[in-house]
């Protein structure tokens, strides 16, 4: 080998070693940088010719396991989803409070029952009357505070969606920017290209925390990002997400599969070349932080609100709703009942039981007064009873209109006849001699509006001062959000004696226990059915129990949900950390390995430098000989 060939070989070795040293330096410097992938030099042997053999640099390699990276991104979405849910459910449990502690719904309810027991024992005591009213106020205020706490959590979820959308937009724009830069550098594989790939991966990982995604990389090193449902987010250009936040959360702000009926913010994706798509109503985001925020805002926390609203509604109705059986009525061969509708208000119900003699089927009919015809027809799920048939009737047009609606709905199909013999009386008769049907029972449930009606039932609790009747209108059911509006009747606060005295002519004796016993029995031992929308029971088999049992049940359910969410989040974090450790072992920087490599490179550099020094000495000697 000539000196020129030796010099060329040594110089190529120095260049390769110097490039490797630069990579080792970069690896060491970025050992703690999240998302940094270890780089190595791709070296190949040069051809032997006039200038001898050499070392050629073919590019920079990223030590990356793409399959493991894809798994890591999937688990990143899952862990982010689980962590958000766990945090919110823990906070929700804090809103409800620990069952055995003070300042909770259960504690306030128990104190109210204790005060009622004292009132039942000593109805003539002014102190007992005031204590009962005060305890009722404390319970109402606790429900108000719980409702506010739930809506604050929903507002936090809404804010989380807004922040996540902004972060997602930035990540998608950065991915698209880097895609363009990498396309311009197609065919090169140097340190700067590796740095761009690392940066792009970091933004993709950030995006995977927010939603479930998958990626496809083409031959030009460009990555296309999709949601797992197939919506393209990024290519050479990025789509843009928009979120129309609705401001303060209220119980009536609810999602709807029909975006035009939804009263909460939705996420819309706007594509670079036109067109848009609703990601919420189409369930396009199924994991990550955004999915968790949406589920919490639109389902989990809505169900929590429904639970306390149901408690407030059942508690109110238990004391103010009075059911009166119809009186027997006849007209020739026809038999049936007369019902007094004088106290019937929007949301109140007429109950009718009749037998279809042709089929032998007994029908339980709930006729609900409605004053807003736009909500008709009503679904059979309007009531909790799984065995009734619901018929909503518009009362806004007066009795003649009511009769026309009832006869139109039941006259032909059931052979029933409705009429108004006098005043506010509704008469319902069967078909008589033709014997198509027989009416076996009829009653009407009305809401007592007065504290001194002569009836022990009373509107102890009100809807922000108004009567609670369960009315249904275009805004929804009166039950929605009731826990945030429930209050004690101001007339009772002004005159606690009405907790005992329910008639004025003649006046109820001061020591009468009738009303006190009714209140206590209804709130402590009476059994009620509750809507399956509370998460307890089903449509076919609703949860049934006392008000206190219902309260304990949903509070316990929330505690169990928080515990399960925490366990899931902890398990998901273990999986994520395990995958991250595997990823670090493959793609991360190992300082011991880098130091060992550095020593080897230093030795190689010294060897090549020594060769060049020796060649220089040889050239100097030759020049001296040639000059002599």
């Amino acid at each position: 080998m000539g000196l020129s060939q030796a010099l060329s070989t040594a110089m190529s070795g120095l260049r390769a070693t110097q490039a490797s040293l630069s990579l080792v330096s970069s690896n060491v410097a970025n050992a703690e940088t999240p998302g940094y992938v270890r780089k190595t030099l791709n070296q190949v042997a040069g051809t032997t010719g006039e200038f001898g053999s050499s070392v050629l640099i073919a590019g920079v390699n990223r030590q990356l396991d793409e399959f493991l990276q894809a798994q890591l991104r999937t688990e990143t979405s899952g862990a982010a989803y689980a962590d958000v849910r766990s945090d919110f459910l823990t906070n929700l449990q804090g809103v409800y409070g620990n069952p055995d502690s003070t300042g909770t719904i259960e504690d306030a309810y128990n104190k109210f029952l204790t005060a009622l027991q004292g009132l039942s024992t000593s109805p003539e005591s002014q102190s007992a009357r005031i204590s009962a009213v005060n305890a009722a106020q404390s319970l109402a205020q606790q429900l108000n505070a719980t409702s506010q706490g739930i809506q604050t959590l929903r507002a936090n979820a809404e804010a989380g969606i807004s922040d996540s959308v902004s972060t997602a937009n930035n990540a998608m724009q950065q991915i698209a920017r880097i895609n363009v830069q990498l396309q311009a550098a197609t065919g090169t594989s140097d340190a700067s290209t590796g740095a761009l790939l690392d940066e792009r991966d970091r933004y993709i990982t950030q995006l995977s925390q927010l939603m479930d995604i998958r990626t496809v990389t083409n031959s030009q090193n460009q990555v296309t990002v999709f949601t797992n449902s197939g919506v393209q987010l990024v290519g050479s250009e990025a789509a843009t997400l928009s979120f129309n936040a609705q401001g303060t959360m209220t119980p009536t702000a609810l999602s709807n599969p029909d975006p035009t009926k939804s009263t909460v913010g939705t996420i819309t994706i706007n594509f670079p070349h036109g067109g848009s798509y609703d990601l919420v109503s189409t369930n396009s985001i199924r994991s990550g932080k955004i999915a968790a925020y949406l589920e919490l805002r639109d389902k989990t926390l809505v169900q929590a609100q429904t639970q306390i609203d149901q408690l407030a509604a059942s508690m109110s109705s238990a004391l103010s709703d009075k059911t009166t059986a119809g009186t027997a009525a006849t007209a020739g061969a026809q038999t049936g009942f007369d019902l007094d509708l004088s106290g019937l208000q929007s949301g109140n119900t007429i109950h009718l039981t009749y037998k279809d003699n042709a089929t032998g089927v007994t029908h339980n009919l709930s006729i609900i007064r409605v004053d807003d015809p736009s909500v008709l027809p009503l679904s059979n799920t309007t009531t909790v009873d799984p065995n009734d048939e619901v018929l909503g009737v518009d009362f806004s047009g007066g009795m003649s209109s009511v009769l026309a609606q009832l006869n139109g709905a039941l006259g032909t199909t059931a052979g029933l006849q409705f009429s108004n013999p006098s005043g506010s009386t509704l008469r319902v008769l069967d078909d008589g001699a033709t014997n198509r049907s027989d009416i076996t029972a009829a009653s009407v449930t009305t809401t007592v509006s007065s504290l001194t009606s002569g009836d022990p039932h009373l509107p102890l609790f009100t809807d922000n001062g108004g009567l609670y009747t369960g009315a249904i209108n275009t805004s929804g059911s009166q039950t929605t959000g009731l826990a945030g509006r429930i209050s004690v009747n101001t007339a009772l606060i002004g005159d606690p004696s009405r907790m005992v005295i329910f008639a004025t002519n003649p006046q109820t004796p001061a020591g009468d226990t009738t009303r006190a016993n009714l209140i206590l029995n209804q709130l402590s031992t009476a059994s009620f059915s509750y809507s399956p929308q509370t998460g307890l029971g089903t449509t076919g088999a609703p949860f049934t129990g006392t008000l206190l049992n219902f309260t304990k049940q949903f509070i316990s359910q929330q505690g169990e949900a928080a515990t399960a969410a925490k366990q899931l989040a902890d398990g998901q974090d273990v999986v994520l950390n395990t995958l991250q450790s595997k990823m670090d072992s493959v793609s991360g920087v190992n300082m011991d390995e880098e130091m060992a490599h550095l020593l080897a490179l230093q030795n190689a550099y010294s060897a090549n430098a020594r060769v060049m020094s020796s060649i220089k000495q040889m050239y100097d000697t030759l020049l001296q000989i040639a000059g002599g």
Side-chain angles (χ1 to χ4, degrees):
M1 176 187 294
L3 291 180
S4 296
Q5 292 174 323
L7 180 62
S8 176
T9 299
M11 289 181 65
S12 69
L14 277 177
R15 284 193 294 269
T17 303
Q18 194 169 28
S20 292
L21 284 168
S22 178
L23 281 183
V24 170
S25 175
S26 177
N27 287 339
V28 171
N30 288 283
E32 301 298 326
T33 300
Y36 180 81
V37 177
R38 179 173 174 264
K39 312 293 189 304
T40 61
L41 203 63
N42 186 17
Q43 302 177 100
V44 296
T47 58
T48 301
E50 179 182 354
F51 296 104
S53 60
S54 62
V55 177
L56 298 180
I57 300 173
V60 173
N61 294 325
R62 297 171 77 226
Q63 303 302 303
L64 180 66
D65 185 330
E66 293 183 352
F67 177 74
L68 187 58
Q69 184 185 56
Q71 282 186 304
L72 185 61
R73 287 171 180 165
T74 297
E75 296 304 329
T76 295
S77 293
Y81 169 87
D83 287 343
V84 168
R85 284 194 76 252
S86 177
D87 289 344
F88 269 75
L89 289 179
T90 298
N91 289 335
L92 177 60
Q93 190 178 18
V95 170
Y96 279 126
N98 294 322
D100 297 329
S101 63
T102 59
T104 66
I105 296 175
E106 187 176 346
D107 176 59
Y109 198 95
N110 281 324
K111 288 178 178 176
F112 184 34
L113 292 182
T114 299
L116 290 174
Q117 288 168 349
L119 179 65
S120 179
T121 302
S122 305
E124 73 286 350
S125 168
Q126 182 68 2
S127 175
R129 297 169 179 179
I130 293 173
S131 293
V133 172
N134 288 343
Q137 284 185 287
S138 295
L139 177 55
Q141 289 164 1
Q142 186 62 49
L143 286 168
N144 298 160
T146 303
S147 178
Q148 182 59 50
I150 291 171
Q151 295 309 312
T152 297
L153 288 176
R154 291 188 73 209
N156 292 343
E158 178 104 334
I161 297 170
S162 182
D163 292 342
S164 296
V165 165
S166 297
T167 302
N169 280 331
N170 178 67
M172 292 189 296
Q173 290 165 6
Q174 295 302 326
I175 294 167
R177 172 185 62 80
I178 296 171
N179 270 345
V180 172
Q181 290 179 268
L182 289 171
Q183 186 178 31
T186 299
T188 62
S189 179
D190 54 17
S192 61
T193 299
L196 283 174
L197 291 171
D198 284 354
E199 184 183 7
R200 187 177 68 183
D201 282 350
R202 284 196 295 273
Y203 283 116
I204 293 174
T205 298
Q206 184 182 66
L207 191 60
S208 72
Q209 290 180 320
L210 305 175
M211 61 183 78
D212 51 318
I213 59 171
R214 59 183 178 87
T215 60
V216 177
T217 305
N218 63 18
S219 58
Q220 295 180 317
N221 229 353
Q222 284 190 299
V223 67
T224 304
V225 183
F226 302 87
T227 65
N228 273 335
S229 60
V231 180
Q232 182 172 324
L233 302 172
V234 187
S236 57
E237 294 179 276
T240 302
L241 304 181
S242 60
F243 178 63
N244 59 330
Q246 298 299 297
T248 304
M249 280 286 112
T250 65
T252 56
L254 302 170
S255 65
N256 192 295
D258 181 352
T260 62
K261 297 179 181 179
S262 182
T263 51
V264 293
T266 192
I267 303 172
T268 303
I269 184 169
N270 303 291
F271 298 107
H273 300 292
S276 61
Y277 190 75
D278 189 311
L279 295 177
V280 177
S281 64
T282 55
N283 193 32
S284 297
I285 302 175
R286 301 165 185 171
S287 189
K289 287 185 177 181
I290 293 177
Y293 286 133
L294 289 170
E295 180 181 311
L296 288 160
R297 184 197 67 178
D298 299 339
K299 296 179 181 178
T300 306
L301 295 173
V302 169
Q303 185 181 86
Q305 181 69 47
T306 301
Q307 290 170 348
I308 60 171
D309 285 343
Q310 180 74 85
L311 174 61
S314 298
M315 194 168 63
S316 300
S317 298
L319 303 181
S320 63
D321 281 5
K322 174 186 176 182
T323 299
T324 304
T327 57
T330 60
Q334 294 177 288
T335 61
F337 295 90
D338 282 343
L339 298 166
D340 181 7
L341 304 188
S342 59
L344 195 74
Q345 301 184 60
S346 180
N348 288 169
T349 306
I350 301 167
H351 304 278
L352 190 65
T353 302
Y354 68 93
K355 182 180 180 182
D356 185 329
N357 293 322
T359 62
V361 175
T362 297
H363 297 267
N364 297 308
L365 185 65
S366 294
I367 303 171
I368 299 178
R369 172 170 175 165
V370 172
D371 290 347
D372 183 349
S374 66
V375 303
L376 297 176
L378 298 181
S379 165
N380 280 344
T381 58
T382 302
T383 67
V384 181
D385 186 349
N387 301 312
D388 72 344
E389 302 167 27
V390 174
L391 175 64
V393 175
D394 175 22
F395 273 67
S396 63
M399 184 59 80
S400 60
S401 172
V402 169
L403 294 175
Q405 293 174 69
L406 289 173
N407 285 317
L410 298 168
T412 303
T413 58
L416 304 184
Q417 179 184 322
F418 294 86
S419 62
N420 174 219
S422 64
S424 57
T425 299
L426 175 69
R427 174 171 292 175
V428 53
L429 300 172
D430 60 21
D431 57 342
T434 55
N435 199 32
R436 288 176 53 194
S437 61
D438 291 319
I439 302 172
T440 57
S443 63
V444 57
T445 298
T446 58
T447 301
V448 175
S449 58
S450 171
L451 294 174
T452 54
S453 63
D455 191 284
H457 291 81
L458 77 165
L460 192 155
F461 294 104
T462 66
D463 181 357
N464 205 20
L467 204 61
Y468 173 75
T469 63
I472 301 170
N473 53 41
T474 51
S475 300
S477 170
Q478 187 183 6
T479 303
T480 303
L482 179 64
R485 305 187 306 268
I486 192 170
S487 59
V488 173
N489 194 320
T490 54
L492 273 174
I493 297 173
D495 184 3
S497 70
R498 300 306 182 194
M499 291 292 289
V500 174
I501 298 171
F502 56 88
T504 56
N505 188 24
Q507 183 165 302
T508 308
D512 191 288
T513 61
T514 304
R515 173 167 281 182
N517 287 339
L518 179 140
I519 299 172
L520 180 60
N521 290 337
Q522 287 294 91
L523 298 185
S524 61
T525 61
S527 185
F528 305 94
S529 295
Y530 307 91
S531 169
Q533 293 179 342
T534 61
L536 303 177
T538 63
T539 301
F543 177 80
T544 302
T546 66
L547 288 163
L548 187 57
N549 285 341
F550 172 63
T551 302
K552 290 180 177 180
Q553 189 70 23
F554 72 71
I555 290 177
S556 174
Q557 181 196 58
Q558 291 297 346
E560 291 171 0
T563 300
K566 182 66 167 63
Q567 292 173 344
L568 176 62
D570 290 344
Q572 193 71 45
D573 288 342
V574 169
V575 173
L576 181 62
N577 291 334
T578 300
L579 280 174
Q580 187 62 62
S581 296
K582 289 183 179 180
M583 187 72 173
D584 290 342
S585 67
V586 173
S587 303
V589 176
N590 185 305
M591 293 297 290
D592 292 338
E593 291 180 2
E594 294 300 320
M595 290 301 101
H597 191 201
L598 180 62
L599 288 174
L601 290 172
Q602 287 175 335
N603 291 334
Y605 190 92
S606 297
N608 282 297
R610 186 68 175 269
V611 170
M612 292 186 69
S613 177
S614 298
I615 292 172
K616 179 180 180 300
Q617 291 175 2
M618 292 179 187
Y619 270 119
D620 289 343
T621 301
L622 287 174
L623 288 173
Q624 289 175 0
I625 294 172

